Amino acid sequence: MERPDAIIVGSGINALVCAAMLGKRGKRVLVLERNGEIGGCIRTEALTAPGFVHDVMATTWVLFMAGPAYGALCDDLARHGVAFTDPQHPTGVLRPNGEAAVLTRDRAANLDMFERLADGDGDAFARGVDEVEANAGLLFPLLGQHLWSRQTAALMGKEAVRRRPSGLTAFFGESLAPARGWLEGDFRSETAQALFAPWVLHTGLGPDSAYSGMMARIIAFSLEALGAPIVKGGAQKMLDAFRALITEQGGEIRTGADVARIDVEMGETAGVTLSDGERVFSRQVIASVTPTQLYFRLLEKPPALAVEATRKFRYGKGNFQLHYALDRPPQWKADGLSEVALLHLTDGVDAVSKATNEAERGMLPEVPTICVGQPSALDPSRAPEGKAVLWLQMPEAPPRIKGDAAGEIDAPGDGKWTEAVREAYADRIEAILARHIDGFRQSVIARSAQSPADIEALNMNLVGGDPYGGDCALDQFFLWRPFKHSINHGTGIKGLWHIGASTHPGPGLGGASGFLAAEAVA
């Protein structure tokens, strides 16, 4: 292609959204991906047996459907073959004693379910999601637009007038409360508490983390409103659609193109140099990578502030993934779970907190929180007729192992995940799952496990198996993501932009940082 108007390093969801949005504005875009396939955390493979389709990591697209990128690109993506499932039972919880609860897309049904769990819990749920709806004009812009902007300043001014300054600061103070405070303070039923406690793990937080209470309410609101959709035919269909759209717009995607250096001349971006020595010139480079990759690998002379900030930047817990091919759909012992999109196996707030703490201390959790996705229940094309796939994610896995909280698995002396440790930990997870499904082990055709080390091997930006681009604690989020001195997606170098999960508004499949960077570049 001719000299590109912009080069994008990496090809995760934010990079693809950025490329597509720039293409819509008539920009010539070159996407460079060092791996053999595009997608970042989005991968679809036949991991277990022929005919079984597995999304290896990311699978649920509710954040994308709730974000600005979907509004701008949905018609184009649909034209190129993307279709979503529309699950009516987005989530549920199953406790060790067999008690279960399922959230639906129907408010009246949900209120009735919570009231059956405990008197007053229906009102508690309604208060929680109604609070999100009432404050949507403040919450969602802060999670989807540049924070350092006239737009946000105007929003804050408007809200300060409407609420008064003391009211606005009180709202933010309440928003920083942990999920434990909301769940134990508002819900009487431990099962109701258990329904939402694990969801904060999918934001890179734990139930005792600052601001996890508001994130839990936002998730509850979003699941009821939009469900937990997956892409029909596998997430690869989304990647195929983005590739087709970007190419159609005159852009180019190159895989196996390892960027060795981002070139800077006289303080301005000049392009990139690939590992084979090829130079590509452009005055705009957008890097969808971690701070470590950007400032310690890709820039020869990074800004001094960024060097020190990168040194202090923390990565979070790892993920552990487990995939099954089954010769029949799972026969859950509890009723009403066969069509739940994402089911958590946990005993509630304390159980999630315990497993989170163990993982953060480098221990294999004694009882991990298990998220069970049932893709073939939503999309029959994921498995041969009459058979099924399960997608399991354990968001509390130590990047390096110091020990086993159960005292059963020997920790490697160097702390690294080994095949033996991975499979032993997968056995622990499977034993918990099998207690809740009749004849589960007899129904297994094959399984495939990915430890945090395996996940990092798939993508160097998933440091320690962390899919969230770094610890999402308050001091590394919002205005301070990735750094305390960060201003939107700038880097201090003219023409160089930083996007991805390590930047505002953080992790997930929303594509918002790519969308925002495209606005800044254009």
Side-chain angles (χ1 to χ4, degrees):
M1 66 184 305
E2 298 178 25
R3 177 170 173 162
D5 296 310
I7 296 170
I8 299 178
V9 181
S11 65
I13 184 62
N14 287 288
L16 296 174
V17 165
C18 188
M21 292 305 301
L22 288 173
K24 270 186 165 297
R25 294 178 171 91
K27 304 293 185 181
R28 294 187 302 275
V29 181
L30 174 62
V31 178
L32 299 174
E33 169 57 53
R34 71 187 302 269
N35 290 329
E37 300 291 339
I38 63 172
C41 282
I42 308 167
R43 301 171 68 97
T44 303
E45 298 180 7
L47 290 171
T48 54
F52 293 86
V53 178
H54 302 273
D55 290 340
V56 180
M57 291 177 282
T59 193
T60 304
W61 292 84
V62 60
L63 277 181
F64 186 70
M65 295 185 71
Y70 180 70
L73 297 172
C74 60
D75 291 342
D76 292 317
L77 295 172
R79 182 165 51 83
H80 287 292
V82 170
F84 293 100
T85 62
D86 186 26
Q88 298 304 301
H89 304 86
T91 193
V93 67
L94 178 58
R95 299 177 64 196
N97 63 6
E99 291 183 14
V102 175
L103 188 78
T104 74
R105 300 279 299 283
D106 182 271
R107 174 63 64 86
N110 289 333
L111 295 180
D112 180 65
M113 179 270 291
F114 282 112
E115 281 298 315
R116 282 187 279 109
L117 291 175
D119 290 343
D121 278 6
D123 290 338
F125 173 74
R127 285 195 305 272
V129 293
D130 286 349
E131 180 184 0
V132 174
E133 185 171 12
N135 293 284
L138 175 58
L139 289 170
F140 289 105
L142 293 180
L143 291 169
Q145 69 186 32
H146 282 129
L147 297 182
W148 291 96
S149 65
R150 289 189 178 89
Q151 186 181 17
T152 297
L155 174 65
M156 291 295 100
K158 175 183 175 183
E159 291 294 324
V161 170
R162 184 169 75 89
R163 302 169 187 256
R164 297 183 179 275
S166 61
L168 182 58
T169 57
F171 172 77
F172 283 124
E174 291 293 333
S175 298
L176 294 179
R180 181 185 293 275
W182 174 49
L183 296 172
E184 293 184 345
D186 283 29
F187 292 92
R188 294 176 57 204
S189 164
E190 291 186 356
T191 300
Q193 297 169 16
L195 180 62
F196 296 119
W199 271 101
V200 300
L201 298 173
H202 302 290
T203 67
L205 301 172
D208 298 299
S209 301
Y211 79 90
S212 61
M214 182 55 74
M215 296 303 286
R217 290 194 281 274
I218 289 172
I219 289 169
F221 172 83
S222 301
L223 289 170
E224 186 183 63
L226 298 172
I230 61 175
V231 177
K232 292 182 179 180
Q236 181 65 43
K237 298 288 188 181
M238 180 68 77
L239 301 180
D240 294 341
F242 267 112
R243 181 188 287 275
L245 175 58
I246 292 165
T247 303
E248 174 184 87
Q249 294 169 336
E252 180 183 352
I253 297 176
R254 292 170 58 181
T255 56
D258 183 18
V259 175
R261 184 178 70 245
I262 296 173
D263 297 317
V264 179
E265 298 175 357
M266 304 295 290
E268 297 186 13
T269 303
V272 301
T273 298
L274 304 187
S275 57
D276 62 3
E278 179 188 357
R279 290 198 66 185
V280 185
F281 297 94
S282 179
R283 291 297 181 186
Q284 302 287 343
V285 173
I286 303 101
S288 185
V289 297
T290 62
T292 306
Q293 291 300 318
L294 178 56
Y295 295 108
F296 283 178
R297 188 177 79 91
L298 295 176
L299 287 171
E300 285 189 342
K301 295 181 179 180
L305 268 178
V307 171
E308 179 62 13
T310 301
R311 186 183 65 79
K312 295 178 179 178
F313 188 79
R314 306 184 311 277
Y315 292 94
K317 301 181 296 298
N319 263 14
F320 191 100
Q321 298 281 161
L322 190 56
H323 301 271
Y324 284 97
L326 306 178
D327 70 2
R328 64 176 183 270
Q331 308 298 304
W332 296 99
K333 293 180 181 180
D335 294 333
L337 303 181
S338 61
E339 295 183 354
V340 176
L342 290 169
L343 175 70
H344 287 104
L345 274 56
T346 180
D347 202 25
V349 179
D350 285 345
V352 176
S353 180
K354 177 177 181 290
T356 298
N357 178 266
E358 288 166 348
E360 289 175 343
R361 291 186 292 112
M363 307 295 285
L364 295 170
E366 179 181 14
V367 182
T369 305
I370 302 173
C371 179
V372 182
Q374 304 189 91
S376 52
L378 313 178
D379 174 16
S381 73
R382 300 293 186 101
E385 186 175 357
K387 304 188 186 305
V389 297
L390 289 182
W391 174 98
L392 273 64
Q393 183 180 79
M394 283 54 64
E396 311 140 328
R400 295 184 66 83
I401 305 169
K402 295 179 181 179
D404 177 22
E408 299 170 347
I409 301 173
D410 292 331
D414 59 4
K416 295 181 179 179
W417 283 85
T418 64
E419 181 179 354
V421 171
R422 181 190 69 200
E423 295 306 315
Y425 193 57
D427 288 342
R428 176 176 297 171
I429 296 160
E430 183 173 303
I432 296 171
L433 187 64
R435 293 179 202 135
H436 297 285
I437 299 175
D438 285 327
F440 178 73
R441 286 195 169 98
Q442 292 73 32
S443 71
V444 175
I445 297 172
R447 84 177 186 191
S448 175
Q450 291 79 43
S451 73
D454 297 322
I455 290 170
E456 182 174 6
L458 293 174
N459 188 320
M460 63 166 58
N461 291 297
L462 305 176
V463 180
D466 173 11
Y468 302 109
D471 192 351
C472 294
L474 181 59
D475 69 304
Q476 285 194 171
F477 217 72
F478 301 114
L479 288 169
W480 309 291
R481 192 163 188 86
F483 305 141
K484 309 303 181 289
H485 68 272
S486 295
I487 297 180
N488 299 327
H489 296 92
T491 62
I493 298 173
K494 186 177 180 180
L496 177 60
W497 309 87
H498 188 195
I499 65 172
S502 299
T503 69
H504 177 73
L509 292 178
S513 68
F515 183 87
L516 293 173
E519 289 184 335
V521 171

